[in-house]
Amino acid sequence: MTTPALLPLSGRRLPPLNLGASAFPHHRATLRLSEKFILLLILSAFITLCFGAFFFLPDSSKHKRFDLGLEDVLIPHVDTSKGGKNLGGFLIHGQGHDEHRHREEEERLRNKIRADHEKALEEAKEKLKKSRDEIQAEIQTEKNKVVQELKKKDSKPLPPVPLPNLIGINSGEPADADIREKRNKIKEMMKHAWDNYRQYGWGHNELKPIARKGHSTNIFGNSQIGATIVDALDTLYIMGLHDEFREGQEWIDKNLDFSVNSEVSVFEVNIRFIGGLLAAYYLSGQEVFKIKAVQLAGKLLPAFNTPTGIPWAMVNLKSGVGRNWGWASAGSSILAEFGTLHMEFVHLSYLTGDPVYYNKVMHIRKLLQKMDRPNGLYPNYLNPRTGRWGQHHTSVGGLGDSFYEYLLKAWLMSDKMDMEARKMYDDAIEAIEKHLIRKSNGGLTFIGEWKNGHLERKMGHLTCFAGGMFALGADGSRDDKAGHYLQLGAEIAHTCHESYDRTTLKLGPEAFKFDGGVEAVAVRQNEKYYILRPEVIETYWYMWRFTHDPKYRQWGWEATQAIDKYCRVSGGFSGVKDVYSSSPTYDDVQQSFFLAETLKYLYLLFSNDDLLPLDNWVFNTEAHPLPVLHLANTTLSGNPAYR
Ligand code: DMJ
């Protein structure tokens, strides 16, 4: 019998074998063909035997390990002190090992493996009978099933929790016709911004109102996750734009998916998405918003896996890998980013009953409390690996701002119970007043920036939010200095209004100086832009709520008109590149915060105070209102979800 495997494939004859003198000293000559054939036969039989032995004979070392595995898996830990009992539902051995049963188990497992194997082979054979397209369709169906299962798991209803009474979500209609008209104008602007986004940028993060297409920045990663929709929801709701709200809700329900391979800013996603979703949930009672907020929060948690628990600035939503901005001092995380999570995370724990979120932000607070602060000031940079400050820069504007805001708001949101937060706020504000707040030669109060022991006499548009913060924190301030802080708020509002008033367009520049004879004016070309930011209007609104001084409505109206005149285009609203130029060019971006904040604060400024009253609501840094957690004053019936 010939071994087919040894026949030459091409039919070519095998070359004569020369086994050499050392192998067969008495047969130096070349072997005859029949001898060669026999030799080949023997060789092939030997090889077959070796193969067989290798694959089919039991390997004793493996056998041993298999036994151990069996023991581990099938026979849970024996509590010998109990002499072999039935523990936790598992059958436990008596004294010593039962060899017979062991062998039976092995046999059973072997049979199972064999049967599984055969089944898999059968399935594979069946598969191969199918066409490539059929196989691909089947794989896709399987994949979809898994995704659906995961979705189901993710969207399990959360336990109902007693919710705060939600006061003032449908009010605010002013009696005065003029104020009503102004309010309606602002609502019309919101509709213009939304409708154009709806038409040209739907599902994208933001809109390019001139190019009439979607726009995005790296803070949202590389996916289209509808930032404008989420950011705008609560503004639509309070303006009574309910059809638009429902459109947004439907998009979120069907399309908002955070299982994307995308690296996002933890801070931005928290303030805009989690804040926006939570506010939409509280206002409307629609579960979908709460569920999405919780799903997203879960995706942000890996950002906290650093040696100190100070989160990375960015996290990949799919892999959970985090990192910091390349431009940040010495690989640091940013104070205004990791310090602006508290409000949303406390609400997440409140709504889910899961303390994980609360613990993350409290850990950050504890760590900051323990650290030395140069001159009592918090530097903007903190290294999440070493727990050390980076450069000693302190700002109440970009990189620092909302950290201070959230200390105050943590206290307010806790129904003024969180005294630790209030103390941190009071201490920080005292140091800021001492080292950063000055009066210009022309009598304008400004907040500068501290850079390595030197005060830079420059204030950012972002810093203008602080006027509202001082006013909001006046009540409950240390040494009963409420009057002082209200006054400070008014002075900052005045300075920021000046920064608008001293421009050609009556819109504020990104940063303005108080130096070299210049007061509240931008000097550098790259600081002359206005990108639809809210901070100055935010301060007008807080000042209005606390003082009812009509000048704040007047200033707000000036800003409304300027925005409508210079930033409105037929495809929405755009930022402008130079507020000192009478023929400004557009940056062609309709920022999502324009709908979330700028238009909301303007609308509130021309509404009665019973719309979102400040005793019951605290606005996150993106102007998303979250209810004060009056724990003694909660009721399930107050939750619109149960109405
Ligand atoms: C908003 O996203 C928030 O207000 C944030 O706190 C800082 N800046 C922008 C708007 O200017």
Side-chain angles (χ1 to χ4, degrees), residues 460-567:
H461 191 289
L462 289 165
T463 320
C464 287
F465 91 97
M469 178 178 73
F470 293 140
L472 185 64
D475 186 28
S477 61
R478 190 177 284 166
D479 305 328
D480 203 12
K481 281 166 73 179
H484 168 75
Y485 285 113
L486 206 56
Q487 173 61 22
L488 188 55
E491 286 174 23
I492 298 297
H494 173 62
T495 300
C496 292
H497 175 252
E498 286 301 306
S499 79
Y500 273 51
D501 209 39
R502 296 175 188 199
T503 70
T504 309
L505 304 187
K506 305 292 173 204
L507 291 169
E510 180 66 5
F512 39 96
K513 290 206 114 179
F514 299 86
D515 223 356
V518 167
E519 301 242 335
V521 171
V523 176
R524 289 161 60 171
Q525 191 55 36
N526 65 0
E527 292 173 343
K528 294 182 178 172
Y529 60 86
Y530 173 68
I531 56 166
L532 305 169
R533 285 200 192 277
E535 292 77 17
V536 175
I537 294 162
E538 175 181 351
T539 279
Y540 295 163
W541 174 61
Y542 278 109
M543 291 311 301
W544 164 255
R545 277 274 168 112
F546 291 114
T547 66
H548 285 159
D549 184 332
K551 76 177 175 211
Y552 295 115
R553 276 189 167 165
Q554 188 197 316
W555 291 352
W557 188 241
E558 285 168 12
T560 310
Q561 287 176 305
I563 291 171
D564 205 46
K565 187 163 175 194
Y566 298 113
C567 301

Side-chain angles (χ1 to χ4, degrees), residues 7 154 476 598 629:
L7 283 176
D154 270 359
T598 313
L629 297 174

Side-chain angles (χ1 to χ4, degrees), residues 267-268 271-272 401-402 405 462 533-535 538 593 597 621-622:
F267 158 76
E268 296 288 357
I271 65 168
R272 301 191 199 210
D401 47 10
S402 41
E405 176 185 352
L462 289 165
R533 285 200 192 277
E535 292 77 17
E538 175 181 351
F593 53 66
E597 298 190 73
T621 193
E622 187 78 0

Side-chain angles (χ1 to χ4, degrees), residues 54-285:
F54 186 76
F55 282 111
F56 300 113
L57 284 182
D59 170 352
S60 59
S61 65
K62 275 187 192 154
H63 202 138
K64 264 215 172 100
R65 275 203 296 277
F66 182 64
D67 272 355
L68 284 173
L70 268 181
E71 203 162 345
D72 279 353
V73 174
L74 297 174
I75 307 163
H77 307 285
V78 178
D79 183 347
T80 43
S81 66
K82 300 209 165 82
K85 290 241 169 74
N86 201 338
L87 285 183
F90 289 99
L91 182 64
I92 303 300
H93 274 208
Q95 313 286 329
H97 285 242
D98 182 343
E99 285 298 327
H100 179 65
R101 175 170 303 171
H102 221 131
R103 245 176 275 121
E104 270 181 2
E105 272 308 331
E106 277 182 30
E107 192 52 35
R108 193 183 61 74
L109 262 184
R110 261 195 215 101
N111 288 340
K112 188 173 177 313
I113 290 167
R114 207 171 294 131
D116 286 351
H117 220 87
E118 273 160 20
K119 200 171 148 219
L121 264 176
E122 272 313 306
E123 278 172 6
K125 270 192 219 156
E126 284 303 308
K127 270 246 150 68
L128 284 174
K129 282 186 202 156
K130 294 181 182 163
S131 74
R132 188 193 159 89
D133 286 351
E134 278 175 317
I135 295 173
Q136 265 172 354
E138 273 180 21
I139 294 172
Q140 196 48 51
T141 318
E142 285 304 315
K143 266 192 191 170
N144 291 347
K145 252 196 237 159
V146 174
V147 171
Q148 286 312 323
E149 284 305 312
L150 283 176
K151 275 196 177 159
K152 250 194 247 159
K153 212 177 100 200
D154 270 359
S155 52
K156 260 199 222 135
L158 294 160
V161 291
L163 291 187
N165 281 320
L166 304 175
I167 292 166
I169 58 178
N170 292 309
S171 338
E173 177 83 13
D176 183 314
D178 175 52
I179 302 297
R180 244 198 341 262
E181 204 181 302
K182 288 177 169 143
R183 188 185 193 236
N184 282 338
K185 170 67 192 168
I186 294 155
K187 181 171 169 177
E188 183 278 326
M189 288 166 73
M190 177 70 182
K191 188 135 170 57
H192 181 67
W194 174 265
D195 286 349
N196 278 290
Y197 167 75
R198 174 81 186 82
Q199 191 171 353
Y200 303 116
W202 194 235
H204 289 263
N205 289 317
E206 291 174 320
L207 168 71
K208 284 177 90 60
I210 294 168
R212 298 186 184 217
K213 59 179 190 182
H215 171 262
S216 198
T217 68
N218 62 345
I219 58 174
F220 304 122
N222 55 17
S223 295
Q224 294 170 25
I225 42 177
T228 296
I229 302 178
V230 182
D231 233 4
L233 280 172
D234 51 9
T235 309
L236 293 171
Y237 191 93
I238 63 164
M239 289 183 175
L241 293 168
H242 294 303
D243 290 343
E244 289 78 359
F245 181 89
R246 263 189 297 275
E247 279 175 337
Q249 176 177 345
E250 206 180 301
W251 186 90
I252 286 169
D253 194 14
K254 293 203 179 119
N255 303 291
L256 188 54
D257 180 9
F258 302 114
S259 322
V260 283
N261 184 7
S262 188
E263 193 181 51
V264 299
S265 153
V266 174
F267 158 76
E268 296 288 357
V269 162
N270 176 59
I271 65 168
R272 301 191 199 210
F273 283 79
I274 297 190
L277 289 165
L278 290 178
Y281 167 66
Y282 282 118
L283 292 174
S284 70

Side-chain angles (χ1 to χ4, degrees), residues 296-486:
L296 176 55
K299 304 268 178 193
L300 297 187
L301 287 179
F304 292 79
N305 296 336
T306 63
T308 56
I310 294 291
W312 300 114
M314 284 172 284
V315 71
N316 183 303
L317 293 176
K318 191 163 199 179
S319 67
V321 173
R323 69 181 173 103
N324 275 341
W325 303 111
W327 49 261
S329 154
S332 291
S333 301
I334 306 296
L335 181 70
E337 298 198 330
F338 63 78
T340 309
L341 304 166
H342 192 98
M343 293 179 68
E344 297 79 5
F345 275 46
V346 167
H347 269 278
L348 285 165
S349 279
Y350 180 70
L351 290 173
T352 59
D354 186 344
V356 64
Y357 311 102
Y358 175 80
N359 290 339
K360 297 282 181 214
V361 288
M362 286 310 282
H363 176 80
I364 297 175
R365 183 192 284 181
K366 295 287 166 208
L367 201 133
L368 289 175
Q369 274 180 328
K370 274 192 249 150
M371 295 187 65
D372 275 346
R373 278 174 285 133
N375 286 326
L377 297 169
Y378 289 90
N380 292 335
Y381 301 105
L382 179 58
N383 189 311
R385 293 184 201 275
T386 62
R388 294 211 193 95
W389 298 120
Q391 279 173 322
H392 284 190
H393 289 185
T394 297
S395 166
V396 185
L399 309 185
D401 47 10
S402 41
F403 162 68
Y404 306 100
E405 176 185 352
Y406 269 37
L407 290 177
L408 174 65
K409 290 181 174 176
W411 173 69
L412 288 167
M413 209 181 73
S414 71
D415 206 10
K416 304 185 178 170
M417 305 295 274
D418 185 353
M419 290 312 295
E420 192 176 70
R422 176 78 218 201
K423 182 182 177 317
M424 286 174 80
Y425 171 76
D426 286 337
D427 290 346
I429 293 309
E430 270 177 27
I432 284 167
E433 236 195 304
K434 189 162 166 205
H435 298 287
L436 305 186
I437 300 186
R438 297 285 181 271
K439 247 194 181 55
S440 71
N441 295 339
L444 295 177
T445 303
F446 68 93
I447 311 176
E449 309 231 330
W450 191 255
K451 293 199 170 158
N452 297 325
H454 162 81
L455 182 73
E456 196 178 7
R457 296 169 68 88
K458 186 163 88 177
M459 188 165 168
H461 191 289
L462 289 165
T463 320
C464 287
F465 91 97
M469 178 178 73
F470 293 140
L472 185 64
D475 186 28
S477 61
R478 190 177 284 166
D479 305 328
D480 203 12
K481 281 166 73 179
H484 168 75
Y485 285 113
L486 206 56

